[in-house]
């Protein structure tokens, strides 16, 4: 079976490794960039680090005893992905600097025609591992084109722009902003942080991991397993409060206590106190955002942005702020317009099918798109645990599908529309009454309020559900 994997982040690499180890070696990994690593290659802003402890945020079959900190910095995670390519011999399978431009299902041939920046290929099966956070979002601020200073997104960090002594603005206070703000605050002349909605923040308690501890992990791999399992179990237990928002009073009190401990001035605390429940938007982890926001060169701006002019931002009340550099920490396009590239299925394009909202069966397959599998697809993202766990579950599902296809000589598998509908109705039902539906605007939801992003259950349930490819939910075809 000829297989195309598109994207070489954690998901694409894990898929390649598992296929190779299972003896399926006729595959390629297309990567539009010149290097592997996905989000960890692209997001190299100062302070970028994972907010899930590294012993869990890594592949279960490629654990690393050598993480230098509890929460590894971006450079180390990127190094880890490069190590996967090396250790699992993925080099011959990589097609770097070859972006996929479109994919068309060919019913007469029962395969996919994939057009890349370098040519046209045919594959029996396509695995889209393009990630949820690969297209950054810059709001359409009026007058932004008039601004004479520099503007860039956190996921497109311009290291040649020197921020030392400059008047810098950061727009947004999400997961990226709270990591980058403390770093900019150390060097900028002034830093204005534009906050539209305050985030809930809990301490990260990051710390270096001593060489002695690392040596014990190397010597006793079971210790590493145990550490991983205990982080997983701790995070998984938090899920209960996400499903029963009444229980969120406890984390809410913890967040408020952390804020009181970190910020003496009540007025600032009031500005930074969200009016929604923790978890409705992603809860952020930081030890240094609250101290940074209180530095003398930093100002929290809560006035809305009306427009830009040549010298900076004009707020809703007409106040002007001059900036040399504006950094958009404004997130990614996640729930809208999410097809990764033009994909033409049996009857319709994915763009059309997902116009209103993205839906898939088990986050992986879409009716009318035979032999197309999506990793980190609709309703597989998490608010409470490590995405790598979900990725590995999905990879397992695809691998089992490939094995069964080979064993049974099925040429195509196409999920039954009713299986997909029932699955998605259940997801939406499960979301009812959870914290994600408790009243806030978040990137988890589409404009019409449907949550197409979050997996609203325990992750071990997703693991159980994806352990085997369930062919009963599919139309199966042999070669014609
Ligand atoms: P984000 O969470 O979507 O935050 C975007 C920020 O920009 C929000 O504060 C948002 O305000 C603000 N914003 C957007 N449009 C605006 C506008 N027109 N005017 C004013 N403010 C505006 O994006 P992110 O911080 O890049 O994080 C995205 C996701 O990436 C995270 O949720 C997480 O999954 C992942 N991430 C993970 C890590 C990690 O450590 N593992 C680090 C960074 C990011 P509102 O809240 O009002 O919309």
């Amino acid at each position: 079976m000829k297989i195309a994997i598109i994207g070489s982040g954690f998901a694409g690499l894990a898929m390649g490794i598992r296929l190779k180890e299972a003896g399926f070696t006729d595959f390629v990994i297309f990567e539009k960039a010149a290097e592997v690593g996905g989000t960890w290659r692209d997001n190299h802003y100062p302070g970028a680090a994972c907010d899930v402890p590294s012993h869990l945020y890594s592949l279960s079959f490629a654990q690393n005893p050598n993480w230098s900190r509890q929460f590894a910095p971006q450079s180390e995670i990127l190094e880890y992905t490069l190590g996967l390519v090396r250790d699992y011999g993925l080099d011959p399978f990589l097609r770097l600097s070859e972006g996929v431009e479109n994919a068309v299902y060919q019913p007469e041939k029962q395969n996919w025609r994939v057009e890349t920046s370098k040519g046209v290929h045919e594959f029996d099966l396509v695995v889209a591992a393009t990630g949820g956070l690969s297209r950054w979002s810059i709001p359409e601020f009026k007058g932004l084109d008039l601004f004479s200073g520099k503007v860039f997104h956190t996921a497109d960090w311009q290291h040649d722009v020197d921020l030392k002594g400059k008047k810098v603005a950061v727009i947004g206070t999400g997961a990226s902003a709270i990591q980058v703000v403390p770093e900019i605050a150390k060097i900028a002349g002034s830093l204005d942080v534009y906050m539209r909605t305050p985030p809930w923040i809990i301490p990260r308690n990051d710390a270096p991991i001593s060489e002695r501890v690392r040596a014990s992990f190397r010597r006793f791999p079971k210790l590493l397993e145990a550490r991983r399992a205990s982080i997983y179990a701790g995070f998984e237990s938090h899920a209960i409060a996400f499903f029963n928002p009444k229980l969120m009073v406890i984390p809410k009190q913890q967040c408020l206590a952390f804020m009181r401990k970190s910020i003496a001035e009540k007025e600032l605390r009031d500005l930074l106190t969200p009016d929604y429940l923790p978890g409705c938007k992603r809860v952020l982890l930081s030890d240094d955002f609250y101290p940074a926001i209180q530095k003398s060169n930093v100002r929290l701006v809560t006035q809305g942005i009306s427009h830009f002019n040549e010298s900076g931002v004009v707020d809703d009340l007409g106040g002007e702020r001059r900036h040399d550099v504006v950094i958009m920490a404004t997130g990614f396009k996640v729930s809208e317009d999410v097809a990764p590239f033009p994909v033409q299925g049996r009857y319709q394009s994915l763009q059309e099918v997902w116009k209103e909202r993205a839906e898939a069966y088990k986050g992986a397959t879409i009716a009318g798109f035979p032999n197309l599998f999506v990793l980190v697809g609709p309703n597989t993202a998490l608010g409470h645990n490590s995405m790598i766990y979900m990725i590995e579950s999905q990879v397992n599902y695809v691998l089992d599908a490939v094995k069964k296809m080979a064993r049974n000589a099925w040429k195509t598998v196409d999920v039954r529309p009713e299986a997909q509908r029932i699955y998605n109705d259940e997801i939406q039902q499960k979301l009812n009454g959870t914290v994600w539906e408790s009243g806030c605007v978040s990137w988890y939801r589409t404009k019409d309020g449907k949550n197409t992003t979050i997996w609203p259950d325990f992750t071990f349930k997703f693991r159980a559900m994806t352990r085997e490819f369930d062919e009963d939910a599919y139309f199966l075809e042999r070669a014609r």
Side-chain angles (χ1 to χ4, degrees):
M1 202 181 302
K2 238 181 133 192
I3 301 172
I5 300 170
I6 304 168
S8 69
F10 267 91
L13 295 179
M15 191 72 246
I17 294 169
R18 294 289 313 279
L19 279 173
K20 181 166 180 264
E21 305 247 292
F24 294 94
T25 50
D26 195 359
F27 70 89
V28 293
I29 305 178
F30 291 116
E31 170 53 61
K32 66 179 179 333
E35 191 51 274
V36 304
T39 195
W40 296 104
R41 175 199 59 229
D42 294 344
N43 286 271
H44 40 74
Y45 56 79
C50 192
D51 61 6
V52 173
S54 303
H55 291 124
L56 182 60
Y57 195 88
S58 41
L59 294 167
S60 60
F61 54 82
Q63 292 187 42
N64 174 15
N66 296 317
W67 295 115
S68 69
R69 306 188 68 82
Q70 303 295 352
F71 296 87
Q74 170 267 342
S75 58
E76 230 173 283
I77 305 173
L78 181 59
E79 190 52 44
Y80 172 83
T81 61
L82 295 172
L84 292 174
V85 173
R86 212 173 37 239
D87 297 349
Y88 290 90
L90 287 184
D91 254 330
F93 301 91
L94 286 173
R95 300 284 178 275
L96 298 175
S97 305
E98 185 163 359
V100 169
E101 291 175 352
N102 66 66
V104 178
Y105 182 67
Q106 310 187 112
E108 68 292 354
K109 294 185 172 175
Q110 296 170 288
N111 72 4
W112 285 88
R113 178 185 184 276
V114 175
E115 193 175 341
T116 70
S117 51
K118 293 190 178 164
V120 175
H121 317 259
E122 288 190 346
F123 293 96
D124 297 306
L125 195 129
V126 173
V127 183
T130 48
L133 300 173
S134 51
R135 293 171 314 132
W136 63 74
S137 153
I138 295 188
E140 287 171 11
F141 289 117
K142 234 169 57 193
L144 189 56
D145 52 327
L146 303 174
F147 177 57
S148 61
K150 298 269 185 210
V151 181
F152 55 87
H153 192 274
T154 43
D156 180 35
W157 195 267
Q158 310 281 309
H159 290 278
D160 55 343
V161 176
D162 186 7
L163 301 181
K164 203 162 162 223
K166 297 273 167 45
K167 295 190 197 75
V168 182
V170 168
I171 299 182
T173 47
S176 303
I178 66 148
Q179 292 185 340
V180 78
V181 159
E183 297 305 313
I184 303 174
K186 288 177 192 165
I187 52 172
S190 69
L191 170 59
D192 286 356
V193 179
Y194 289 84
M195 179 178 75
R196 188 165 65 179
T197 317
W200 284 108
I201 302 180
I202 52 171
R204 186 156 74 138
N205 295 326
D206 188 22
I209 300 174
S210 71
E211 179 43 38
R212 228 184 58 197
V213 172
R214 285 186 251 168
S216 342
F217 284 143
R218 283 195 293 271
R219 202 150 159 231
F220 307 108
K222 288 272 176 231
L223 267 184
L224 198 55
E225 290 273 1
R227 162 98 184 116
R228 184 181 174 93
S230 79
I231 305 169
Y232 172 78
F235 278 164
E236 202 61 359
S237 68
H238 296 166
I240 295 164
F242 286 78
F243 309 148
N244 303 286
K246 279 189 193 134
L247 299 179
M248 274 295 173
V249 280
I250 305 162
K252 181 174 171 179
Q253 289 312 320
Q254 286 166 339
C255 289
L256 289 171
F258 176 52
M259 202 190 293
R260 278 195 299 274
K261 196 173 127 206
S262 310
I263 302 172
E265 195 191 317
K266 179 167 180 319
E267 211 172 290
L268 183 59
R269 285 205 306 269
D270 288 345
L271 289 177
L272 281 163
T273 303
D275 62 359
Y276 56 89
L277 285 176
C280 189
K281 291 160 95 80
R282 191 178 169 89
V283 176
L284 308 182
L285 284 80
S286 176
D287 302 324
D288 49 7
F289 179 73
Y290 286 149
I293 209 80
Q294 295 170 84
K295 283 189 161 181
S296 57
N297 61 335
V298 180
R299 189 166 39 161
L300 183 69
V301 182
T302 53
Q303 202 59 55
I305 297 170
S306 158
H307 60 275
F308 278 71
N309 63 19
E310 205 197 3
S311 56
V313 168
V314 179
D315 69 31
D316 285 343
L317 296 177
E320 289 193 31
R321 288 189 184 76
R322 302 173 77 85
H323 303 301
D324 301 314
V325 183
V326 171
I327 293 158
M328 299 287 177
T330 42
F332 299 85
K333 291 180 184 155
V334 184
S335 49
E336 313 282 345
D337 185 20
V338 289
F341 43 81
V343 180
Q344 179 61 45
R346 208 191 272 275
Y347 315 108
Q348 271 179 298
S349 73
L350 193 56
Q351 283 64 21
E352 285 170 287
V353 173
W354 278 0
K355 194 164 65 181
E356 301 283 309
R357 73 184 71 117
E359 262 187 16
Y361 179 66
K362 302 194 174 179
T365 48
I366 307 131
F369 295 80
N371 293 8
L372 172 70
F373 289 83
V374 183
L375 300 180
V376 195
N379 292 102
T380 58
L382 299 177
H384 74 281
N385 213 325
S386 167
M387 266 316 285
I388 308 295
Y389 185 89
M390 297 297 274
I391 286 173
E392 284 199 56
S393 303
Q394 286 208 295
V395 164
N396 196 64
Y397 187 71
V398 181
L399 182 63
D400 200 47
V402 170
K403 283 182 184 168
K404 284 187 169 163
M405 288 173 78
R407 203 182 308 137
N408 297 298
W410 299 329
K411 180 75 172 158
T412 65
V413 298
D414 188 1
V415 69
R416 294 172 184 273
E418 64 273 23
Q420 185 178 320
R421 200 194 56 246
I422 292 168
Y423 175 83
N424 280 282
D425 287 351
E426 278 172 6
I427 293 263
Q428 292 304 321
Q429 249 166 27
K430 271 190 195 156
L431 277 159
N432 275 336
T434 64
V435 76
W436 298 289
E437 304 298 301
S438 64
C440 67
V441 179
S442 79
W443 59 256
Y444 298 145
R445 303 166 92 203
T446 57
K447 283 195 187 96
D448 68 357
K450 278 275 181 259
N451 189 322
T452 55
T453 312
I454 283 284
W455 166 247
D457 207 334
F458 294 104
T459 60
F460 56 79
K461 287 203 182 162
F462 190 77
R463 176 62 56 97
M465 207 176 75
T466 47
R467 206 171 285 289
E468 281 187 16
F469 179 71
D470 44 349
E471 63 267 24
D472 291 350
Y474 288 79
F475 295 117
L476 310 167
E477 260 186 7
R478 292 227 152 82
R480 277 190 236 116

